[in-house]
Amino acid sequence: MSLDPLPKYRFLVTLDPGDAYLPAAQALLLPLAASGAFQEVTGLGAQLEVTSYAEGGRNDSVHQLPLRHSWNRITLKRGVVRDPGLWSWYQAGLADSLGARRDGAVLVLGPDGVPGAAWAFHGGLAAKWTGPDLHAEQNAIAIESLEIAHEGLTKVLQDAAASALPRLSRGR
């Protein structure tokens, strides 16, 4: 295992095509499939909201008390393609948000192509789709983005991320 930092330009995004709320035994039967090539993934993060509480008679410090924890939205950006997959997922959420939830993962690959780090999210909803900015005087790729609101992010251990690669390869 190399301790060198991982490059940020080699990654995979997977989306479980099934319902995120299936019983665990059934959910294991649904293979993860790579969801296409993405130019950029942002939003892997979380924050804890805190409130300051000044205790009477104590002037040297202020207590910081936790209120609630929240997850950032994951944003996927890619060149516009003719595959309607992400748009269909967003549209499904407009009609039935519970049925449109998906689990997924972002895997960062090492120089050898083996996953070096991975983050899994649970109960993701396609919360915001943004179409491309079009400009007739620019020679650039049309980019669309999709924001995923989710109910939790888990850092997957390296051994588990590496074992996921054969499953991802079979799904293509």
Side-chain angles (χ1 to χ4, degrees):
M1 173 170 62
S2 175
L3 297 177
D4 294 334
L6 294 168
K8 69 178 191 175
Y9 59 86
R10 296 189 74 185
F11 58 90
L12 288 173
V13 176
T14 67
L15 295 173
D16 183 347
D19 183 359
Y21 292 101
L22 287 174
Q26 291 177 10
L28 290 175
L29 300 176
L30 295 171
L32 291 176
S35 301
F38 292 94
Q39 175 182 343
E40 182 180 341
V41 175
T42 59
L44 293 173
Q47 56 276 339
L48 178 64
E49 185 181 342
V50 297
T51 185
S52 299
Y53 177 77
E55 183 179 350
R58 189 166 176 195
N59 298 329
D60 61 342
S61 67
V62 176
H63 295 286
Q64 301 296 320
L65 303 176
L67 290 179
R68 67 188 56 84
H69 186 262
S70 62
W71 301 100
N72 296 348
R73 287 184 176 187
I74 298 171
T75 302
L76 308 176
K77 292 185 180 182
R78 72 174 184 181
V80 174
V81 294
R82 293 184 176 100
D83 173 22
L86 294 180
W87 172 254
S88 298
W89 181 29
Y90 176 73
Q91 228 175 2
L94 296 176
D96 180 18
S97 62
L98 286 179
R101 290 185 181 272
R102 293 186 182 182
D103 290 345
V106 177
L107 292 88
V108 180
L109 305 177
D112 54 0
V114 175
W119 294 267
F121 64 87
H122 176 70
L125 284 171
K128 179 180 179 183
W129 177 85
T130 304
D133 294 330
L134 304 174
H135 196 288
E137 295 177 358
Q138 292 180 354
N139 184 13
I141 300 293
I143 302 294
E144 68 179 335
S145 68
L146 181 76
E147 287 186 20
I148 301 172
H150 57 91
E151 296 178 347
L153 192 65
T154 305
K155 175 114 165 96
V156 181
L157 298 176
Q158 182 175 352
D159 294 338
S163 68
L165 187 62
R167 285 192 303 156
L168 295 172
S169 300
R170 286 194 307 261
R172 287 185 183 188

